[in-house]
Amino acid sequence: MKHERDDGEHELFDRLEREMTQDGGAAAGVTDLDAERARRRSGPADQHFEVSLDDDEDDGGPERGGGLVVEPVAVAGRREVIPSEWRGWANIRATVRYWLAYAGHVAAFHAVRLPWYAAQALFWAVVGVFRVAGRQIRWWWVAEQHSLRQAAADANDPGTWLKLHKETRSTRMWRFIVLGGEVLLLVLVLPVAWAVAPWWARVAGVVAAVAFLARAGRPADRRIVSAAVVTARLRRLSPDIVLRAYYAAGLGNPDRADKVVQFGSTMQRDASGTGSQVVIDLPYGRTFDDAVKNRGAIASGLDVSVNQVFLTRDATSHRRHLLWVADRDPLAIPAGKTPLLDCKRRSIWKAAPFGLDERGRAVELSLMWISVLIGAQPRKGKTFSARLLALYAALDPFVRLFIADGKSSPDWRKFALVAEDMVYGTHPTRDDADPVTHMRLMLRAVKAHILRVNEILSGLPVDLCPEGKLTAELARDPKCPDLRVVLLVLEEFQVYYELDDKDASSEIASLLSYIMAVGPSSGVVLLSASQKPSGVGGASNIGQLFTRFRDNHAARFALKCGNRNVSEAILGGDAYAEGIDASTLPTGKPYLGVGYLYGLTDDTPTVRTYLADHADAEKILIAARKHRETAGTLAGMAAGEVTVRETRDVLADVASVFAAGETGLQWPVIAARLAEAIPEHYADLSADAISAQCRSIGVRSVNVKSGGEVLKGAKLADVRAAIEGRDAA
Amino acid sequence: MTILAATPSALSPSMIVAGMVLVTVTFGYALSCWLAPFARCRRCAGAGTRKSLLGHRKPCRSCDATGWRLRAGRRIANTLRDLRDASR
């Protein structure tokens, strides 16, 4: 022991001696302060702002191999003087309301549990009395010293024992006095205070004492008051975790200097406060596409769900990208109801609200000049997202709506309130006796509209129509009623390519191809949705036209798809090469209405679409009809106009050809009489065709005897029954 | 002398008292070995020094001049514990 101390002293003296000599040396030379200042000033000025392409190891750039990342920096720029939640009356009201609701919840939560809290507190207060007493006795008796004294006795060290013993005795004496004072206080002062204090002070005192004793008495892990609000526990990203993920995904090798993954920025929370982000530099030669392909492996390495990992291309280098890891799966949080529910007038020339992207930013879709293709598996929100956009257009009273609903579903029925023309399905129904012909007429009308618009526009002076295109002013000019924006909705459009009637299919196909090619630039917006976009069979020409029609859509929105081929059909092959595959979208109820919006911007947002359910749609459409009535633009079907006799009511027609007293007619007779009576529809009707049509709408084909010959035919009673059944439905 | 009468008389009051004294003394000694393991040195009566034959005062060799000795019971306990620890 002594020896060591000597050593230390020697060292100290040696050091002191050295320092003294150094001081002496420095004192000998006088520093020229001005020269020194000049030297310091000129230091940084010598550098200039050229940065070598390759990182210098020691230039203070981003650290190689991801060392400790320096302090996170939030978004650059000035921070708000007054936070946005306290700016403007609406915000202040909302903030105050939020906090009041919060306080109310906490208060109610604890108020309900108050009796249980009281019972628990009383029980633990009893335990607490003994705990506090025991703690004080141990303090008085210097219990923590006991083991030291025992160690001295074990070592047969009477000197140490004696020292400890003496110290203990004096300490115990002093602490005895303190505790005596405390007891005196309790015994003498407390009863007096109790006697003179008002009742509320007594209650407060008892509550405080019980709370204190209960706190002392309860085990540390057993809380009496439970939390009223639970916050989510989130994963905090660290550079080590990120590197682990990238190396585990095979995107680099930490042991080879040319294969290390580097950070291009510091790790930071993103501006919306919903995740962590960092810029990643892959090794030279690895590309953004490699990272996208390995997104699942990166997610696994980060130990998060693949839905939480988002990779964004960086504009400066293809080996660099932004990794954003959301705190929780952002796609499972619904985007909420559509803002269209305020039912105000909208303009198709402005962007339509569509949904929220993975970061909660609003995604808007400017419908003018484009065509939108929406595809997905059935029941994934295809119709809802298409309808969301159509509802926006409906709220602009100057947009003419043409709707072809190939599946004849209730989803689009309410558009009859505003649509100029609507086609339901492909088979005759009560609403539409011959939808295929109707569809042909409607598309012809759209084609005629395109031709008319182009004709008018080319005749207009340049100051009215500067680019030879429709403008927002022209589209609502009452002097040019033909210049309107048209929205053509094609729900399940593939059915019109697969009709039994090949002539009809090929006419519709060529009309659609024409509209797709010329329409968008003439202000015809196409909104197509299909659950079977991968192609149609049948005649090769129709198949080709279908593929061309599908591939010419400018914007594509793919919800959850069954497989990669369907996703490719909707989004195009390029999207798959970029790592966007709608069949990898998550399945499940929370992810309904989630899809990739491709082709509008360079980054493909994963959009959670706003919800407009059946009731919402009806509400919006009723408002849209009011806007149209005010603007005087209600036209066509919605206005109750029947332009041509397109509603061919087969049953009524058939019933009309029965002469009085006839109970049954053979098919050839019916066909001949119809052709004679209503030639515009039945001019070249065959017996087989009318038989097929009637049987498809519930009229039995039975044997009818006429003129000694038994042939198949229809009974009048059956036709009447079918009409009644239809009207009752 | 019947068997029935012999059983209670086997524990006579004097034996009970003796047993209690024995237990008390044993526990008392064990307690003092624990809480006051050191007692005054018998050789120097706790002084730490002794008179030599020539009349000079010299340090007590029995207690290393501390005046304290470890109680025999504690010494036994320490030895037993050391033996047990060594065997582990």
Side-chain angles (χ1 to χ4, degrees), chain A residues 54-307:
Chain A
D54 280 69
D55 300 343
D56 234 25
E57 284 292 344
D58 51 1
D59 65 355
E63 282 178 73
R64 279 194 187 279
L68 193 68
V69 165
V70 288
E71 235 167 75
V73 187
V75 257
R78 299 177 180 181
R79 297 184 57 205
E80 296 164 331
V81 175
I82 295 165
S84 52
E85 63 261 38
W86 294 110
R87 211 155 355 122
W89 269 115
N91 286 353
I92 291 175
R93 263 204 305 277
T95 309
V96 169
R97 206 176 301 132
Y98 170 82
W99 284 110
L100 283 181
Y102 180 86
H105 168 76
V106 172
F109 182 91
H110 292 308
V112 167
R113 285 160 183 76
L114 209 57
W116 174 230
Y117 291 165
Q120 276 182 304
L122 279 175
F123 174 78
W124 289 117
V126 174
V127 178
V129 170
F130 291 98
R131 280 265 171 93
V132 169
R135 211 181 289 163
Q136 292 195 340
I137 286 169
R138 276 198 303 280
W139 175 72
W140 171 30
W141 216 240
V142 202
E144 69 273 17
Q145 214 207 45
H146 179 78
S147 59
L148 286 177
R149 287 197 302 269
Q150 288 303 312
D154 292 347
N156 194 1
D157 183 357
T160 308
W161 191 87
L162 198 65
K163 245 187 266 173
L164 292 168
H165 184 67
K166 271 186 186 161
E167 197 177 308
T168 308
R169 273 174 43 171
S170 57
T171 311
R172 281 175 186 168
M173 188 47 137
W174 165 244
R175 291 186 179 180
F176 172 75
I177 294 168
V178 172
L179 286 180
E182 184 191 310
V183 170
L184 217 65
L185 207 72
L186 285 176
V187 171
L188 297 182
V189 178
L190 210 60
V192 176
W194 183 263
V196 298
W199 67 270
W200 51 264
R202 288 183 209 170
V203 170
V206 167
V207 167
V210 168
F212 170 75
L213 289 172
R215 190 182 164 76
R218 73 168 166 84
D221 60 343
R222 184 188 284 263
R223 299 181 66 90
I224 293 170
V225 177
S226 49
V229 179
V230 188
T231 48
R233 193 171 294 193
L234 308 170
R235 177 175 303 279
R236 186 168 281 273
L237 274 197
S238 77
D240 289 337
I241 293 175
V242 173
L243 287 177
R244 180 186 74 193
Y246 275 80
Y247 292 138
L251 291 167
N253 185 344
D255 301 326
R256 290 181 50 191
D258 57 338
K259 295 285 181 213
V260 288
V261 174
Q262 295 164 41
F263 291 114
S265 77
T266 52
M267 181 91 54
Q268 55 191 237
R269 298 290 294 171
D270 78 323
S272 61
T274 53
S276 310
Q277 64 183 26
V278 66
V279 174
I280 303 280
D281 282 338
L282 293 174
Y284 295 108
R286 303 312 293 265
T287 59
F288 173 68
D289 306 323
D290 293 331
V292 167
K293 272 187 203 127
N294 287 304
R295 193 169 140 236
I298 294 171
S300 159
L302 294 169
D303 201 7
V304 296
S305 148
V306 72
N307 300 335

Side-chain angles (χ1 to χ4, degrees), chain A residues 146 150 153-154 158 161-162, chain B residues 34 37-38 68 74-75 78 81:
Chain A
H146 179 78
Q150 288 303 312
D154 292 347
W161 191 87
L162 198 65
Chain B
W34 181 39
F38 289 94
W68 297 93
R74 182 75 189 216
R75 205 180 284 274
N78 281 357
R81 197 189 50 246

Side-chain angles (χ1 to χ4, degrees), chain A residues 618-650:
Chain A
E618 186 172 345
K619 188 180 163 205
I620 293 168
L621 286 168
I622 289 169
R625 188 183 169 92
K626 283 218 185 80
H627 289 313
R628 275 158 201 264
E629 279 165 355
T630 319
T633 52
L634 207 59
M637 198 186 201
E641 292 169 19
V642 181
T643 42
V644 284
R645 189 177 177 267
E646 72 237 356
T647 48
R648 187 171 74 161
D649 190 341
V650 179

Side-chain angles (χ1 to χ4, degrees), chain A residues 503-556:
Chain A
D503 291 344
S505 271
S506 73
E507 193 200 347
I508 289 172
S510 60
L511 279 169
L512 282 178
S513 293
Y514 176 83
I515 295 170
M516 168 59 79
V518 188
S521 62
S522 314
V524 175
V525 181
L526 275 113
L527 186 55
S528 329
S530 172
Q531 56 171 275
K532 189 170 168 270
S534 32
V536 292
S540 61
N541 182 35
I542 296 177
Q544 254 176 23
L545 286 172
F546 176 84
T547 316
R548 199 184 305 160
F549 174 73
R550 179 194 76 202
D551 289 346
N552 277 342
H553 284 89
R556 288 101 189 287

